[in-house]
Amino acid sequence: MFAAKSLVAIVALVAGAAAQYPPNWNSSRGVPVLANAPYPNTTIAGVTVIDTPIIRYAIEAARNHSTDAVFKHQMRAWLFGSLIINANPDYYNSVDIEIQGVAAILHDLGWDMSPDSPITTHNHRFEVDGAIAARKFIAAYGDDNWDSRRTQLLWDSIALHTSRNIGYFKEWEVATTSMGISVEYDGLIQGVTNETFQEIIRVFPNSDLLKATNDTFTWFAATKPQVTYGKTRSRQRMRNSADHSNRQLYSDMGRTLRPRLCSQTQN
Ligand SMILES: *C1O[C@H](CO)[C@@H](O)[C@H](O)[C@H]1NC(C)=O
Ligand SMILES: *[C@@H]1O[C@H](CO)[C@@H](O)[C@H](O)[C@H]1NC(C)=O
Ligand SMILES: *[C@@H]1O[C@H](CO)[C@@H](O)[C@H](O)[C@H]1NC(C)=O
Ligand SMILES: *[C@@H]1O[C@H](CO)[C@@H](O)[C@H](O)[C@H]1NC(C)=O
Ligand SMILES: *[C@@H]1O[C@H](CO)[C@@H](O)[C@H](O)[C@H]1NC(C)=O
């Protein structure tokens, strides 16, 4: 009896101390939103997607902190990820699509290059800046269902979205967020057909993505070089360039990204 009471007191203390983060620490709900049961939805570019208040806030936050090019990239990543999930029974039956949605929509918050950005730091890689910003976003806008577990999955989904050799082996929320993002850099994968790809880029054109990516990486290399190199494939090549003028790097990036984007845009 006494022990039980003490335990309650300790739990209450811990909960109080952690009142800011994670949000709703003492909530044990954390019910995933799965695609295999009816969920609040809307259709964007022909894709059925989840439509909940947090998703709407995430879109608003992405708008607030992203250029047009990056905003559209995040929306496309969400739609591609939704198609990938719908096409795979394992994902369809178990991925929390609200987490994948918020993660995809906010995954490049760390690309915010505005001088007074509340998100971008000089000592974190951009994926970590984005993950931290998304966690703050949930603390501000998330409902009781955003327990520490779901919030952690969101954090990981953003932090690891370019670390595919890790993220693809983590929880499927983490993997499918990254897969959806990969489509317009690395090509079509199961679930995304030429037809669905074309419809998505018709609604959210991607002709500005290569320039936006290049501009952002150029800015990272200039402003936070110590946390810029050695991440994704193209940035791995950045590391190999001898100096920050990065001529080799950009021609490598052009070789890596441009043909893929062009061939998909033309296909
Ligand atoms: C913890 O639960 C209590 C009772 O349901 C609630 O009043 C309180 O706001 C909760 N704390 C947090 C941080 O959500
Ligand atoms: C989408 O919402 C409608 C109701 O507005 C519902 O009938 C339908 O089952 C939902 N679709 C999915 C895939 O959950
Ligand atoms: C977006 O920015 C507007 C205008 O500053 C602000 O009122 C709104 O709360 C912001 N929304 C989110 C989700 O960040
Ligand atoms: C990337 O930007 C740099 C610097 O502005 C430029 O020299 C290079 O041609 C660009 N590369 C691509 C692939 O657009
Ligand atoms: C993809 O779709 C576009 C637009 O409908 C079409 O022009 C193109 O031929 C298609 N490509 C392939 C490989 O099917």
Side-chain angles (χ1 to χ4, degrees), residues 175-205:
T176 55
T177 298
S178 184
M179 287 174 190
I181 295 163
S182 80
V183 168
E184 56 189 355
Y185 290 112
D186 290 340
L188 304 182
I189 54 181
Q190 191 191 347
V192 186
T193 63
N194 184 41
E195 287 67 31
T196 49
F197 182 90
Q198 296 296 331
E199 179 56 12
I200 289 167
I201 63 169
R202 192 184 65 76
V203 177
F204 298 103

Side-chain angles (χ1 to χ4, degrees), residues 110 125 151 157 165 205 254:
R125 49 194 282 176
T151 308
S157 297
N165 52 358

Side-chain angles (χ1 to χ4, degrees), residues 15 19 24-26:
N24 305 309
W25 172 256
N26 59 1

